[in-house]
Amino acid sequence: VLDTITGSMEELDTYIRDMNLPLAKSSELVGALRTQVRREESPTFDVNMKELVNESLAIAGGRLKRVQVVTEIPDELTHHCFRARVGQILVNLLGNASDAFDEAGTQAPTIRIKVQRSTSNQPLRLEVSDNGPGIPADIQARIFEKFYTTKEAGKGTGLGLAMCHEWATTWGGDLRIEPSAMGGATFVLELPLMQLPGQ
């Protein structure tokens, strides 16, 4: 979605109308897209992580219709970060999980999103876990390389995860794969507390 919408309000409104969503869902999606397609020159102060995750779920919702999504996010958890970019990373991870479910024919597909931080000055840890087919060890070593993709021709550019990983490391954080207790894959995004302008 974020690759096809350039950010003008006219394009966003047309895109939403073409989806024929109920009014409440349309309004929710418009708000989420307007937040996540904007350009950011600096981090945003005290981003509410539950709100950010809900925005990303609204954007990815069309691809998650048959997926059960479970979230574990403290209501008041906030973090200084590039809000739009973090949201785009999450949308990318959700879309990849959905594609993996479809390709593997996963029964009762489930995604768990967990966000936590041990203390106020520690990195934020955002986990996206699924019960899909998982990622073989030999592929894990290349999954963040530019132009590397396991999807069939025409369905993937191999740029999404590479771009997300580059953003995370540029911020002094990390994006990596860890073993999943759910049997599929777990992607972990670690984000340091960003310094705001003037600090």
Side-chain angles (χ1 to χ4, degrees):
V1 170
L2 295 175
D3 290 338
T4 60
I5 301 296
T6 60
S8 78
M9 294 305 100
E10 292 84 1
E11 288 174 315
L12 291 178
D13 291 339
T14 300
Y15 178 80
I16 299 302
R17 285 197 302 271
D18 290 345
M19 293 180 71
N20 294 315
L21 292 174
L23 182 59
K25 284 290 184 183
S26 294
S27 298
E28 180 184 3
L29 184 52
V30 167
L33 283 167
R34 284 178 171 169
T35 299
Q36 293 199 10
V37 300
R38 63 188 175 88
R39 294 184 178 182
E40 294 176 295
E41 302 298 330
S42 59
T44 301
F45 181 76
D46 278 350
V47 175
N48 183 285
M49 298 310 298
K50 181 167 260 186
E51 291 178 3
L52 176 57
V53 169
N54 287 337
E55 288 171 1
S56 299
L57 287 171
I59 293 170
R63 302 174 70 180
L64 302 175
K65 289 180 179 178
R66 70 182 191 93
V67 179
Q68 179 185 11
V69 179
V70 179
T71 61
E72 299 178 29
I73 312 163
D75 289 338
E76 304 304 320
L77 179 57
T78 62
H79 198 69
H80 306 343
C81 63
F82 285 90
R83 179 187 182 119
R85 289 282 173 88
V86 173
Q88 290 168 24
I89 291 174
L90 183 52
V91 169
N92 185 279
L93 296 178
L94 293 169
N96 286 346
S98 176
D99 290 342
F101 291 146
D102 291 342
E103 292 170 9
T106 303
Q107 299 300 308
T110 303
I111 293 174
R112 187 190 70 175
I113 303 172
K114 183 177 183 179
V115 187
Q116 60 185 337
R117 185 179 57 227
S118 55
T119 62
S120 60
N121 61 352
Q122 291 296 310
L124 186 85
R125 179 181 172 96
L126 189 157
E127 301 174 11
V128 179
S129 302
D130 65 62
N131 64 339
I135 303 173
D138 58 328
I139 294 178
Q140 289 184 25
R142 301 192 59 193
I143 203 77
F144 298 113
E145 292 180 11
K146 286 184 178 178
F147 306 114
Y148 180 80
T149 180
T150 60
K151 298 177 183 178
E152 59 186 79
K155 288 193 175 181
T157 62
L159 290 173
L161 282 177
M163 179 177 63
C164 293
H165 186 266
E166 182 176 328
W167 286 342
T169 54
T170 297
W171 301 329
D174 191 25
L175 178 63
R176 61 182 182 273
I177 304 169
E178 291 188 356
S180 173
M182 297 176 64
T186 292
F187 281 85
V188 176
L189 174 64
E190 281 195 350
L191 297 171
L193 192 67
M194 305 293 291
Q195 292 295 309
L196 300 177
Q199 289 188 336

